[in-house]
Amino acid sequence: MKLKKNIISIITIITVLMINLNQVVYASDNSRGWVQKAFDEANSFLTDDSVEDDLGIFGNLLGEFTNIIQGINVVLLVLLAGLSAISLAVVGVKYIMAGDSPHNKENAKKSLHTVFIGMVYGFGAYVIWTISMEIVNLIMGAFAQG
C-alpha cells in the first residue's frame, strides 16, 4: 500500500513539474529560417546556368553513363535473383533429403539462415548501389543542363 502511494506521489509531482515547465508561445517569427535559406541556396546552385556545355560533352556523357548504369542494374538484379533462387533450391533439397535425421535438418536450417542473411546483404547492397547511382546521375544531370 505504501509503494502505491509513493508511485502516485511521484507521478503527481512529475505531472505538476511538467505542467509548470511548459512555455507558452504567444507570437511566432515569420522570417525565413536558416533551413529555408540553405535549401534556396542549394536550389540556386543547381539551377545556375553559369556552367556552359558548348561542346555537349556532359550531355553525351550523361546518356552513356545512364545506359551503363541501367545495364549494370539489370545484371546485378538478375545475378542476385538467380543466386538467391539457386541457393534456396539447394537448401530446400538438403532439407528434404535430411529425412528423419535431426542433425541434418539442423544443418539445413543453419544453411537457410545463412542464405537469408546473404540475400539481405545482397539486396541491401543493390538498394544502396541504386540510390548512389541515382545521386550521381542527378549531379551529372545538373551539369548537363548548362
Side-chain angles (χ1 to χ4, degrees), residues 60-71:
N60 292 336
L61 284 177
L62 180 64
E64 293 297 321
F65 183 71
T66 303
N67 290 337
I68 290 171
I69 289 174
Q70 288 174 349

Side-chain angles (χ1 to χ4, degrees), residues 15 33-34 102 114 117 126 145:
T15 306
W34 66 271
T114 304
I117 290 171
Y126 176 77
Q145 288 177 357

Side-chain angles (χ1 to χ4, degrees), residues 87-88 91-92 107-119:
S87 299
L88 288 173
V91 171
N107 286 340
K109 286 181 182 178
K110 286 180 183 177
S111 297
L112 182 65
H113 290 297
T114 304
V115 168
F116 281 143
I117 290 171
M119 287 172 61

